Amino acid sequence: MNYDDVLQHIHAELRPVIGQGRVASYIPELAKVPPHRFGMAVVGIDGSVSTVGDARTPFSIQSISKLFTLVMALRLEGDAVWERVGREPSGTPFNSLVQLEAESGKPRNPFINPGALVCTDILCSRYATPENAVVEFLRPLCRNPGVHWDRAVAASERRTSHRNAAMAHLIKSFGNLRNDVDHVLDAYCRHCAIEMDCVELARAVTFLAHGGSDPASGAQILDASLTKRLNALMLTCGTYDSAGDFAFRVGLPAKSGVGGGIVAVMPGECGVCVWSPGLEPSGNSLAGSLALERFTDLTGRSIF
Amino acid sequence: MNYDDVLQHIHAELRPVIGQGRVASYIPELAKVPPHRFGMAVVGIDGSVSTVGDARTPFSIQSISKLFTLVMALRLEGDAVWERVGREPSGTPFNSLVQLEAESGKPRNPFINPGALVCTDILCSRYATPENAVVEFLRPLCRNPGVHWDRAVAASERRTSHRNAAMAHLIKSFGNLRNDVDHVLDAYCRHCAIEMDCVELARAVTFLAHGGSDPASGAQILDASLTKRLNALMLTCGTYDSAGDFAFRVGLPAKSGVGGGIVAVMPGECGVCVWSPGLEPSGNSLAGSLALERFTDLTGRSIF
Amino acid sequence: MNYDDVLQHIHAELRPVIGQGRVASYIPELAKVPPHRFGMAVVGIDGSVSTVGDARTPFSIQSISKLFTLVMALRLEGDAVWERVGREPSGTPFNSLVQLEAESGKPRNPFINPGALVCTDILCSRYATPENAVVEFLRPLCRNPGVHWDRAVAASERRTSHRNAAMAHLIKSFGNLRNDVDHVLDAYCRHCAIEMDCVELARAVTFLAHGGSDPASGAQILDASLTKRLNALMLTCGTYDSAGDFAFRVGLPAKSGVGGGIVAVMPGECGVCVWSPGLEPSGNSLAGSLALERFTDLTGRSIF
Amino acid sequence: MNYDDVLQHIHAELRPVIGQGRVASYIPELAKVPPHRFGMAVVGIDGSVSTVGDARTPFSIQSISKLFTLVMALRLEGDAVWERVGREPSGTPFNSLVQLEAESGKPRNPFINPGALVCTDILCSRYATPENAVVEFLRPLCRNPGVHWDRAVAASERRTSHRNAAMAHLIKSFGNLRNDVDHVLDAYCRHCAIEMDCVELARAVTFLAHGGSDPASGAQILDASLTKRLNALMLTCGTYDSAGDFAFRVGLPAKSGVGGGIVAVMPGECGVCVWSPGLEPSGNSLAGSLALERFTDLTGRSIF
């Protein structure tokens, strides 16, 4: 299916808001990204690719990596993952320690920082260099053997990760982190620093629109039932503390990152990725959220 | 489409768990319901009806009424409703006052008690007897002109509603309740005390599977876009503090009540209702949740 | 002992700040009080009286009534009071419901609103008109047979007491309120509306500086051990959420009210009362707190 | 003044409860201490010493060190300390992160772990080896040049200090920690591992009963006004989350540690220290709290 016209329509319509919002500034490397960038890509399970704008410009995937960390943890440990991480929306800002403490070190879900730290801990128990394992998982999935993590971003993030360190130590104090805190934080920050473009990310999630099998290679990444469940989890927990509002407006399973990227899944059809660095207060891309909202409005598609 | 075989299969499979769980006991009338009841109904947008078990036994819809209260409030005030009620999962037990206080009297969503109190307040501003307005809204929708609320249940609920009174007064202290607290509580308790059976409830939500129009009468209850959004809201917020888990397991928009009923929507296909009084700790019907989980497994359908 | 010079010195020194702060405005009657009033009185256990400024102008004692409600509850039920109310500082703003909910309806201490509601409930179980019982308790203690509660203030407070109603219903939902919520709120608002002047209030607390016996009449109000303990409780919990800061600066057991009054106790010496309507953000009289701070500085006395 | 008889009376009376309670077990070294130990010492500002039981057995002072860390921080930075640490009771269990997060990394008071971490940070900014600075401060004060910290206890505490690390990183994320987290934690754990006996600790706090000057040497440790204020702070915040109850029962400024020690101050008279390893649920020595309660009962002294 061809979405070129829809994407161009969206791009034109959104011009006035592209550049609005706050670019993430907690690390200098992210703050340097020009706010007026906008790209969007749709990759169908039939292999079709539609793009608009900066769809081929790599950006820092940041929390979108949590989706892939979870997929890898589920492939390694299956349902045992859920003994260490919950499946409920957090209901509080994405980096809060309150809930983590009240719930004895079991993070609410794998898409908030503490949950991703536990999933990263699972990878750290299996791989000597878990950041490479994630990159190697992504390369065939997005068909770019050059996918890598950015050293400057990772190092900068690591230096300023006191809040993540606080969460990791708190989880560790409850016995829900097996590896050394520093080792887990190193891997976590490198996952966040992976760079990909919209086409690559849209392609990397097509298996989620295709019953768990990569439509390009036929490889079964997850089984069909777990794939549906993962999509449900993205819908209820994938977009920080505004998952309810995002589901209301957009109506697609999605995962966002503070780099301005959002991936979304249209089951049975395609993977979508949009990128624009200006963020809403909730941490989701402002123009990106609107673009996805218009996308489901214009195509008349949503899962509801 | 005919779901009779699927429903019978589910009923047979669930026999061992029917009767498990805790029957709501906070009011004597609910505690009297025999725990071993189980009914399920599917009403297609084509008018087809499939049933199993006690699908024609009326029960107390309790919090399922919150869905109808919201629909009526949206019909009256449209998006202005969202200025007074949020759209995010609560992340805390369904009757907590903490979040309400922290968020200045704006309830997190319309499906938790404080949110439903605000929606009821909207109805109280428009109708002298809002409980009759809800009943009159439901009668044509479920094609039973005899739908009514149970006086004993409503009175019993009203007498023990100190926690709801606390929430109503707290909301009022923030200026987000326009009517007299006692009046709002009276109406709220009567909405909860409405009695319907599975077929009636499944039929009453078919418009949500049909772009907002009642497939039987053709009446447009909500517009298509808002209907999709309401389904999204049910998915993220409809089943108390286990909405994430419910979406993960079942994958359908749904609203549950402590009377043991759950309504669910399969967009483009049908409304579903299941009833069994034994509850999970989260407040959702234990056998009912499992029945819906099996329903999506066996039919291979979910929105994801 | 004669404190006239000290009081005049304090009055002169504080002139620039008298009138600063926010006069309580949540009920119209309190908002009407001119902000530039200031009075202070010291009543020795030897009967000596020192005053300055508006020490004979009656004002609304508001939360200072919580001290007398507690004394009366202790006289009625002794240590059984502590099964229903705690003895710890609240650590959160004085009218928060969070802690009350987290601690199952047992208020942290008798000097915050929910704690005083429980003490009032104790009085309601013993007296048909508990507000009269408090007034009758106070009349001989302050040697003014005309002490009364102001009907306009009580009525206004009652009309706007939604937050107190929320707390009372929440306590009731936990079973820690025996009487009808409306009845308890009526009595509570009337206690708050009692009018007294600085000399009367300073005199009314001299028994707390005198081992529990009223130095004027010799009547034993509380036993010596409980009196010391009550003073300790005032120190740790008597001045809303700034009890720690108040103890640090002033170093005397005290109880404040949003009417701008503060009573304090110098064990073995005297009762003190200061009044000035402008409040600090914590709800204590701004000039009143400073006056007491200067009082302990200038006299070199504090309990530490 | 001679307290020998009183101490022997208390010891005899408490025999049945000595050994009750839970010995701190979170580090193996503390768990090894025999629970049936009990010692008590009173050191008058006149130099008199009264003791009973194991008053000369050194024990791990643990959180009592927070008192000395604060005194040293106040000597270095005066009131500037209060810009980084509050003066209010915490109202939540002593190691909670909730409040720290809600209050933007400013700990409630210097006697809870996060507050002591900030005070330690102040010492770390001034001293290369802050643990030695504290020891050197204590040696003349308690007249034992051999006071030292225990390496095994410090190392064990450091290894298991994930919760303290979480707090330190959280404070650092808010910018309220200047030094490296590991450096601060090293120093903090060594302060906790200082070993002293009851006589030494009672002597070390006599300056707090003597207007801030060490009665033995005449050295002015703190000025008189700040000394009174520090005593007030101990009363409202010195005994974990049961400060209110402790003040109610004992009525003296005090600071406790999970090693089972409690120091208390009788202004104008003496310093007191009691030690018994079994703890109440709040973390204070069970027999120690009772001993101090009996001490004020039997001597008829308290500050109230």
Side-chain angles (χ1 to χ4, degrees), chain C residues 240-277:
Chain C
Y240 302 124
D241 196 32
S242 68
D245 188 63
F246 193 92
F248 187 88
R249 289 163 50 200
V250 174
L252 292 180
K255 182 73 203 86
S256 57
V258 295
I262 310 177
V263 294
V265 175
M266 183 96 81
E269 297 214 11
C270 57
V272 184
C273 180
V274 61
W275 170 60
S276 192

Side-chain angles (χ1 to χ4, degrees), chain D residues 251-268:
Chain D
L252 293 180
K255 182 73 203 83
S256 58
V258 293
I262 310 177
V263 295
V265 175
M266 183 95 82

Side-chain angles (χ1 to χ4, degrees), chain A residues 10-12 14-21 35-39 276-277 286-287:
Chain A
I10 291 170
H11 192 193
L14 289 187
R15 265 182 219 287
V17 303
I18 294 169
Q20 289 183 10
H36 281 81
R37 311 305 294 266
F38 178 89
S276 192
L286 189 154

Side-chain angles (χ1 to χ4, degrees), chain A residues 66 88 90 92-96 99 107-117 188 237 240 255:
Chain A
K66 292 176 169 69
E88 292 302 329
S90 64
T92 53
F94 67 101
N95 44 16
S96 171
Q99 215 158 39
R108 277 246 144 179
N109 68 65
F111 295 147
I112 51 175
N113 291 15
L117 287 165
Y188 174 86
C237 309
Y240 302 125
K255 182 73 203 84

Side-chain angles (χ1 to χ4, degrees), chain C residues 87-88 229 235 244-245 248, chain D residues 87-88 229 235 244-245 248:
Chain C
R87 300 193 292 236
E88 294 301 329
R229 293 173 167 215
L235 194 91
D245 188 63
F248 187 88
Chain D
R87 299 193 293 237
E88 293 301 330
R229 293 173 166 214
L235 193 91
D245 187 62
F248 187 87

